[in-house]
Structures are given as C-alpha cells and as structure tokens.
C-alpha cells in the first residue's frame, strides 16, 4: 500500500480582481495564509491563528515556485515508475483561475507538467537499452458529462467500458503511435484547438471541460529468454480539471451557466469519492465511482492499481478564503488514501509456465524450510506455556478452595464461640436451667404415647414369637412374648443420675476444661481465642484475595495465551490453506499447460512429418527442375545455333538482294538502250524469275 502524494500550490496574488475592495484587489485584509514547506495555516492579523484552519501536506509551494520545481518534487519519480510498468496519474484540482491549466500545460518560458512528462518519458525510454518500447497517446475531454475525442472531430459522445484485460477504458478513443516528443506536441496542439474554453469574470480563458491526456507504454525485453516473454503495459494519465466556480463571482449566464453546473457536479462527486476513500474501512460503505464519468475513468488512480500525485492549486486573496479552505480540505482527505500499485505484466504461456514452476519450487522450499519449522516451534512453545498455565491455575484453584473451606470452618467456629460467650455472659439462673436441660431426663417421666401394662400371665415360654404388627402401645401379652416370659418390675426402675456437660461444647476438642472453671477466666480465654481466630480469618481472607488476584492474573495470561495460540493456529491454517490453494491452482495450471504442451508436441511432430514429406517432394521437384534446366540449356543452345544460322542467312540474303539490285540497275540501263530488242527483253525475264524465287525463299526461312 502506498499513500497518494499531495501538494498545494498558491499562485501569485492577482492585482486585478473582481472585487473592488482592498482585500479583493490584492490589498491587505484581516486574514492571510501562512505558507511553510509542508504546512498551510490561516492567520488573523489581530487574533492570531484561526482554529481548525491548519493543514499539512507533502509539499507546499508559494507564488514564486516554478513548474520545474513542482515537476521535480511530484512527477519525475512517477515517470520512472510508469516506464518501469506501473500505472501513474497526475492531476490538478482547485477553483477557477487558480492556475491549474498553467501548472499542467505551462508556457513557452516555463513548460508545465504535461510537456515535461512527455520529454522525460522519451528520455527514459532511450536510456533503457535492454527493452523495446511502443508508445500510444490519446487525448479526450469530458464536456457536460459527455466524452469527446480531441484528436478527431467525429469522435463525440464516447462510452466507458470495463473488462478484465483492459480494466476501465473509453471505447472508440483514437490512439496514435508516436516515436518522438515532437509528434506528441503536435497532437497536443490539435487537441487544445478542439477543447472547449470560455470567458468569465474571473478568467479570460477558462477551461470549460476536464481533459485527460493518456500515454500507453508497452515494453518487452530485447532478449526474451531473460525476461520470460513478459510484456509490460502501463498507463500514464495527466489530467487538467476544470475549476469549481461560484455564479456570483464568475457571472456565468446561459451556456456558461450550464457548463458550470456540470463542472461543479462532477467535482462534487470527486470530493465525495475522496471523502469515502479517506474514511475507515469499516465505515467506508459504497464508493460512488459511477456517479460521474470523471471518477469512473479515474477509478484505478483513486484507491486502485496506480501511483497518484495530486496538485491542488489555490488563490491567496482574502476574497477566495472559503474556496481555498475547501480545496485544502479536499487535499487533506486525499492525503489519507492508499493505493496498491503493482507492475502490469502480460505473460505468454511458456513464460507463465516457467514462472509458475519457480513459484511452486519457492512454495515447496518455504513449506519445507525454516519458516514452517519456526511456526511449529512457536505453536509448540505456546502449547507448553498454556499447559503450564493450566496446571498453575488448577493448583491455585485447589489452594483457593482449601482456603475457602478453612475460612468457612473458622467462621463457623467463631460463630459458635460467640454463641457460647453470649450464653456464658447471661445470669447464673439461666445457666443452671440450661445445664439442667442438658441432663438425661428421668426415665419415669414417660411420654403419653407409650403405655406399659403389667402381664397377666407369669408362665414361661420357650421363645419369643415375632409380633404380627407393631404399634406405639405395648400390651402385656406382647411384652411377655418379646421377653420370653421374663417379667420386669417397672416399679424398681429408678431415674438415671444427672450427667455432667461435656467440655467439647465450650472449648476445642484438643483441650478439656473442667466445668468448675471461673466464668471470667473462661470469658477472657474465649475472647483471646476469638481474637486469634479473627486474626487467622483476616490472614486467610488476605491470602485468599491474593490467591484470587494471582488466579485472575493467570487466567488473563491463560486467555491471552489461548488467543495467541488460536491466532497463530488460524494464521498457520490460513497460510497453509492459502499456500495449498495456490499450490493446487498451480498444479491445475501446470496440468493444463502440460496438456497444451503435449498437444503442441504432437502438432510439432505432425508438422515435422509433413516437413519431411515436403522435403522429399521438394527434392523430387528440384530434380525435375534440374532436368528442365538442362533441357532449357539444350534448347537455348539450339536456339542460339538457329539464331546464328538465321543471322548468317539474313546477311547472305541481304548481300544477294544488294547484288540483285545492282544487276537490276545494270539491266535497266541496258534495256533503255535496247528497248526494241526482244532478245534482251527475254533475257531480262529469265533473270527476274530467279530473283523473285530467291526473295520468296528468304521470306519463308524467316
């Protein structure tokens, strides 16, 4: 996880402002912003710092800062990461006329982030000798919640799509392959010409749309065996947002008012997304990425797979303090967001199989190495500690139970002693009555429920029969049968003599005290025993409380050890399950790749067989071709000979024609002299016939 880099830039004070007051015109007001290297605070010139208006960031720049300094602090490292395969995003946020477009585009004297980033990308690419790069660029704007392609006139109202391979992308967006920074600058000029700008009271050339300049950088190793056929595809987004605005300050009407509504709505949704992302994970809830096209396109850069830098621009004038405070609050929330950036690689099947094999070997080494043994040792140590703590807890629990029993015994003994003291301190009459009550009652005082009758029979019986039923009244016959005829004279029975009280009722079982001990001495002795018993009871209570505290401490330690053991077990189980799942996935992928490899090998074998067959056919065709070449050579030789013959024949025929023409001229001259001579005419006719025949023969040969 990596935090978003956030910086704040204050533009220089504007000498000409919309507000005619001294504060609005750049004069001195009651409040001002104190700017340090990493902190911004709002101060009241009389009362001092304003509560709740102090903010801390990664970097804070005043009006004297240049674009080069801002680029070096925020974006230069981002460009290196993008060329290395990470996704990167940099965008400017702030109110209108605060300097966002100047920060992103800059001027001829001080170029902004976009031109510096373009040059830096190509410089970094040229320095990478071990990789080959392909760079594509696109330029789009979001105007009134509609996506327009700035590089083409026809590409209007494009749609956003999402896929597993490309993530979130704009369908139909034109991408140009570029080889130099100059080509990119030409495309940027074309896009700026198609972008929507407008004039307001706060800015002569106000951006009325959000623009996103995107560079897609693909790279692969020149030596494919070293990099495992990995192709890195990274995306760099450079975003120039339109500024938030208030209608009273901008004076927007008509089309400008409608544009401002869409701008403020999209920026409000961006602020809500930043606020949700800055909250705790349990309280975060739904993140409204889809409520705006801007947040939908920037979704990977906000809490996703990208390295992100945000430049928040602000105005230092007192009239803009509320807008500046809102911008700083936005930047503070954005500083709490973390992204999970990683290198984007696309692997071929062979490279994926190779990497998976390496991962399997690493997992096996980890499972068989010291890491698992260390976990087992930690788990075993925790188990031993827990077992010891359980034994100690049981021992303390037994001691505590013994102490409780001893305390209860002492309390009972103390209660008895107190009762005895109360009994002794009463008057002697009551004591004598209590002592008489302790005597064995007179046997003659038989309760009314038992009646004994004298026997009417005095004869003896051999045995005492078992009575059929027993009752609380024994008549004479039953008594006689039970005593085998022995008759007891009930009048001879006397009262049992009075018994002395046992000493165990008044003192401990270990000492016997006679009853004739004086009462005062006995009271003093019992008071001493009570005091000693109370001391023992207090000591026992103190010891019990100490043991209870130790038991609670051990119970807490036992619970903590159990929790640690359960957590370590869960971690070990989750780690083993995760590694096992990864191993199973890798095994399944390996099996699938092995099947593909087997199929590829069969296909290669078939192609090799076909190659051999084609090689044989090629040899046969080559032989035929050689024969044809020989025939062509023979024919060409004959043709050359025939051509030589025809040439010689043509030369001869030409000479004959010349001779014939000469002879004809001579004959014609002779004929002029001898026109009337028939003999001469006849001879001329004889000479003309061979000449005509010779011409026909030459034409036939040709």
């Amino acid at each position: 996880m990596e935090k978003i880099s956030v910086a704040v830039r204050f533009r220089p004070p504007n000498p000409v402002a919309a507000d005619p007051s001294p504060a609005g015109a750049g004069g001195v007001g009651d409040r001002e912003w104190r700017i340090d290297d990493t902190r911004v605070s709002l101060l009241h010139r009389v009362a001092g710092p304003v509560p709740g208006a102090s903010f801390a960031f990664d970097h804070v720049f005043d009006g004297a800062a240049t674009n080069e300094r801002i680029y070096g602090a925020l974006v230069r490292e981002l460009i290196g990461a993008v060329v290395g395969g990470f996704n990167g995003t940099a965008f400017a946020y702030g109110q209108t006329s605060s300097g966002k477009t100047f920060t992103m585009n800059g001027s001829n004297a001080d170029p902004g982030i976009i031109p510096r980033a373009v040059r830096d990308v190509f410089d970094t690419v040229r320095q990478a000798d071990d990789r080959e790069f392909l760079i594509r660029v696109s330029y789009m704007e979001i105007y009134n919640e509609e996506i327009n392609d700035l590089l083409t006139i026809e590409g209007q109202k494009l749609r956003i799509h999402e896929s597993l391979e490309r993530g979130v992308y704009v369908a139909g967006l034109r991408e140009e392959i570029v080889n130099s920074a100059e080509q990119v600058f030409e495309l940027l000029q074309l896009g700026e010409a198609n972008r929507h700008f407008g004039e307001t009271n706060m800015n002569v050339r106000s951006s009325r749309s959000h623009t996103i300049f995107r560079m897609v950088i693909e790279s692969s190793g020149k030596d494919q065996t070293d990099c495992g056929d990995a192709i890195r595809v990274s995306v760099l987004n450079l975003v120039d947002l339109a500024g938030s605005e208030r209608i009273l300050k901008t004076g927007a009407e008509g089309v400008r008012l409608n544009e401002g509504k869409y701008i403020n709505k999209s920026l409000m949704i961006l602020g809500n997304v930043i606020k949700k992302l800055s909250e705790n994970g349990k309280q975060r809830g739904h993140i409204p990425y889809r409520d705006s096209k801007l947040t939908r396109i920037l979704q990977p850069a906000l809490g996703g797979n990208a390295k992100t830098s945000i430049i928040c621009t602000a105005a230092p004038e007192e009239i803009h303090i509320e807008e500046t405070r809102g911008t700083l609050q936005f930047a503070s929330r954005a500083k709490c967001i973390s992204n999970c950036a990683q290198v984007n690689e696309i692997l071929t099947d062979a490279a994926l199989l190779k990497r998976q094999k390496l991962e399997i070997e690493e997992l096996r080494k980890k499972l068989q190495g010291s890491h698992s043994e260390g976990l087992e040792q930690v788990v075993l140590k925790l188990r031993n500690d827990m077992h010891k703590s359980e034994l100690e807890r049981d021992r303390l629990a037994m001691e505590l139970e013994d102490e409780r029993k001893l305390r209860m015994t002492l309390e009972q003994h103390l209660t008895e002693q107190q009762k005895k003291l109360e009994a002794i301190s009463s008057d002697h009459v009551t004591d004598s009555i209590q002592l008489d009550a302790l005597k064995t009652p007179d046997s003659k005082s038989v309760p009314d429920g038992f009646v004994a009758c004298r026997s009417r029979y005095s004869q003896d019986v051999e045995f005492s029969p078992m009575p059929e039923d027993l009752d609380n009244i024994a008549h004479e016959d039953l008594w006689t049968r039970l005593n085998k005829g022995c008759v007891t004279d009930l009048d001879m029975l006397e009262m049992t003599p009075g018994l002395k009280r046992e000493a165990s009722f008044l003192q401990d079982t270990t000492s016997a005290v006679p009853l004739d001990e004086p009462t005062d001495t006995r009271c003093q002795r019992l008071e001493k025993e009570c005091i000693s018993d109370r001391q023992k009871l207090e000591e026992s209570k103190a010891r019990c409380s100490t043991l209870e505290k130790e038991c609670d401490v051990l119970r807490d330690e036992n619970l903590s050890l159990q929790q640690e053991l359960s957590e370590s077990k869960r971690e070990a189980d989750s780690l083993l399950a995760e590694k096992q799942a990864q191993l199973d996935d890798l095994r399944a992928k390996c099996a699938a790749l092995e099947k593909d490899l087997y199929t590829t090998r069969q296909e290669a074998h078939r192609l090799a067989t076909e190659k051999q067959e084609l090689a044989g056919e090629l040899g046969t065709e080559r032989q035929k071709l050689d024969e044809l070449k020989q025939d062509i050579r023979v024919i060409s030789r004959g043709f050359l000979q025939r051509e030589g013959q025809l040439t010689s024949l043509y030369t001869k025929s030409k000479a004959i024609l010349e001779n014939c023409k000469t002879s004809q001229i001579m004959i014609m001259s002779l004929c002029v002299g001898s026109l009337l001579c028939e003999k001469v005419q006849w001879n001329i006719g004889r000479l003309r016939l061979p000449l005509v025949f010779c011409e026909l023969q030459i034409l036939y040969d040709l």
Side-chain angles (χ1 to χ4, degrees), residues 653 656-657 660 689-699:
S653 61
I656 292 170
L657 286 174
C660 289
L689 288 174
L691 291 173
V692 173
F693 177 77
C694 186
E695 291 177 358
L696 292 174
Q697 185 67 30
I698 290 170
L699 292 173

Side-chain angles (χ1 to χ4, degrees), residues 391-404:
L391 293 176
E392 185 70 17
R393 184 189 62 185
D394 295 338
R395 184 182 65 81
L396 292 175
M398 292 176 63
E399 292 181 359
L400 182 62
E401 189 65 25
D402 294 339
E403 291 293 334
R404 286 176 179 173

Side-chain angles (χ1 to χ4, degrees), residues 101-366:
T101 303
F102 178 77
T103 301
M104 297 303 297
N105 295 331
S107 62
N108 295 328
D110 189 10
I113 289 176
I114 293 179
R116 291 180 185 274
V118 170
R119 292 192 181 278
D120 206 355
V121 165
F122 283 97
D123 293 341
T124 308
V125 165
R126 281 193 292 269
Q127 294 175 2
D129 299 331
D130 57 339
R131 300 188 70 84
E132 296 178 348
F133 290 87
L134 176 66
I135 301 176
R136 307 191 306 270
V137 298
S138 61
Y139 200 17
M140 59 181 159
E141 72 169 356
I142 302 175
Y143 176 71
N144 291 348
E145 283 301 304
E146 297 291 343
I147 301 176
N148 301 328
D149 191 350
L150 294 178
L151 300 182
T152 58
I153 300 176
E154 296 82 7
Q156 308 298 321
K157 296 183 180 180
L158 304 179
R159 295 184 178 273
I160 300 174
H161 295 278
E162 184 176 5
S163 64
L164 294 176
E165 293 80 9
R166 299 181 60 182
V168 179
Y169 67 97
V170 178
L173 187 64
R174 177 185 173 186
E175 291 186 345
E176 291 286 341
I177 299 175
V178 293
N179 298 320
S180 63
E182 285 71 19
Q183 293 181 356
V184 179
F185 294 151
E186 292 178 358
L187 295 174
L188 285 172
Q189 290 180 359
L190 176 62
E192 289 295 319
N194 296 328
R195 185 181 178 183
H196 288 82
F197 289 96
E199 182 179 357
T200 64
N201 293 339
M202 296 185 66
N203 200 349
V204 177
R205 195 170 185 268
S206 175
S207 302
R208 311 311 295 169
S209 64
H210 311 299
T211 61
I212 301 174
F213 175 71
R214 175 171 292 183
M215 300 183 70
V216 181
I217 303 173
E218 296 184 7
S219 65
S220 61
K222 293 182 179 180
D223 188 2
Q224 295 292 339
T225 57
D226 294 339
C227 63
D229 296 339
I231 298 174
R232 297 175 184 173
V233 181
S234 57
V235 179
L236 173 63
N237 293 317
L238 301 175
V239 186
D240 181 15
L241 299 178
S244 61
E245 56 188 36
R246 289 188 177 183
I247 300 173
L248 295 177
K249 292 184 178 181
T250 59
E253 295 178 354
V255 177
R256 296 290 173 262
L257 179 61
N258 191 31
E259 293 171 349
K261 290 179 180 179
Y262 281 107
I263 292 170
N264 290 337
K265 180 182 177 182
S266 61
L267 293 178
M268 181 188 67
I269 295 172
L270 177 61
N272 292 335
V273 170
I274 294 294
K275 182 179 180 181
K276 287 286 186 180
L277 290 172
S278 63
E279 292 176 353
N280 191 9
K282 296 181 180 179
Q283 302 175 355
R284 179 176 296 176
H286 172 68
I287 301 174
Y289 288 116
R290 297 179 181 270
D291 292 352
S292 172
K293 289 183 172 59
L294 175 64
T295 54
R296 182 68 172 142
I297 295 174
L298 296 180
Q299 180 176 352
L302 303 175
N305 177 22
K307 293 178 177 289
T308 305
S309 296
I310 300 177
I311 303 98
C312 294
T313 58
E317 292 84 6
E318 186 180 9
I319 190 176
H320 302 306
I321 280 181
E322 297 303 325
E323 289 85 351
T324 302
R325 181 179 294 183
T327 301
L328 297 178
Q329 290 174 353
F330 173 88
S332 297
R333 288 191 291 266
K335 193 175 181 297
C336 301
I337 301 174
S338 298
N339 289 348
C340 183
Q342 57 185 358
V343 178
N344 304 300
E345 290 184 345
I346 301 175
L347 299 177
T348 60
D349 294 338
L352 183 62
L353 179 61
K354 183 177 179 181
R355 288 198 175 185
Q356 287 174 351
K357 287 182 179 179
L358 294 175
E359 290 179 0
I360 290 172
E361 293 298 329
E362 290 179 359
L363 290 173
R364 286 178 179 173
K365 290 179 181 179
K366 287 181 180 180

Side-chain angles (χ1 to χ4, degrees), residues 478-649:
L478 178 58
W479 191 267
T480 303
R481 287 198 303 272
L482 290 175
N483 292 281
K484 294 183 179 182
C486 296
V487 178
T488 303
D489 189 2
L490 297 177
D491 297 332
M492 296 297 294
L493 294 176
E494 297 181 357
M495 184 182 68
T496 304
L499 298 176
K500 295 181 180 180
R501 289 181 295 178
E502 296 292 335
S504 59
F505 291 100
L506 300 176
Q507 60 185 5
D508 289 333
T509 56
T510 57
S511 62
V513 181
L515 292 174
D516 55 356
E517 183 180 3
T519 303
D520 297 335
T521 305
R522 189 181 303 167
C523 291
Q524 293 176 0
R525 180 177 56 78
L526 290 174
E527 286 179 357
K528 291 180 181 179
E529 290 179 357
C530 289
I531 293 171
S532 62
D533 290 338
R534 286 195 185 96
Q535 292 177 355
K536 291 180 180 179
L537 182 61
E538 295 296 332
E539 293 176 357
S540 177
K541 287 181 179 179
R543 188 178 178 186
C544 287
S545 62
T546 305
L547 292 174
E548 286 178 354
K549 290 180 181 178
E550 293 179 357
C551 186
D552 293 336
V553 172
L554 290 174
R555 188 181 294 109
D556 295 337
E557 292 178 356
N558 188 16
L559 290 174
S560 62
L561 290 174
Q562 286 181 353
Q563 291 177 357
E564 291 178 0
L565 180 61
S566 61
E567 289 177 359
S568 61
K569 284 182 178 179
R570 285 196 299 270
E571 290 178 358
D573 294 338
S574 62
L575 180 61
L576 291 175
E578 182 181 356
K579 298 302 180 184
Q580 187 65 31
Q582 292 179 358
L583 188 60
D584 294 338
D585 294 339
L586 293 175
R587 285 176 179 172
K589 291 180 181 179
C590 288
L593 292 174
E594 286 177 356
K595 290 181 180 179
D596 295 339
L597 183 61
Y598 178 72
T599 306
T600 306
R601 286 178 178 174
Q602 288 182 345
E603 186 69 21
H605 181 69
R606 184 180 62 79
L607 292 175
T609 306
E610 293 180 356
K611 183 179 179 181
Q612 291 178 358
E613 294 177 356
L614 292 174
E617 294 178 358
L618 182 61
T620 305
E621 294 295 330
R622 283 179 178 175
Q623 291 178 359
K624 292 181 180 180
L625 183 61
D626 293 337
E627 293 176 357
L628 289 174
K629 286 182 179 179
Q630 292 178 0
D631 295 339
I632 290 170
R633 289 192 189 97
V634 173
I635 292 171
S636 62
R637 289 174 185 173
F639 180 77
L640 291 174
Q641 292 178 0
R642 185 67 174 173
E643 186 178 3
Q645 292 177 358
L646 290 174
T647 303
S648 62
L649 183 61

Side-chain angles (χ1 to χ4, degrees), residues 62-82:
D62 56 7
T66 61
N67 289 333
E68 182 180 3
R69 179 184 171 189
I70 295 172
Y71 176 80
L74 288 176
V75 187
R76 180 170 285 117
E77 294 183 359
L78 181 65
I79 298 302
V82 170

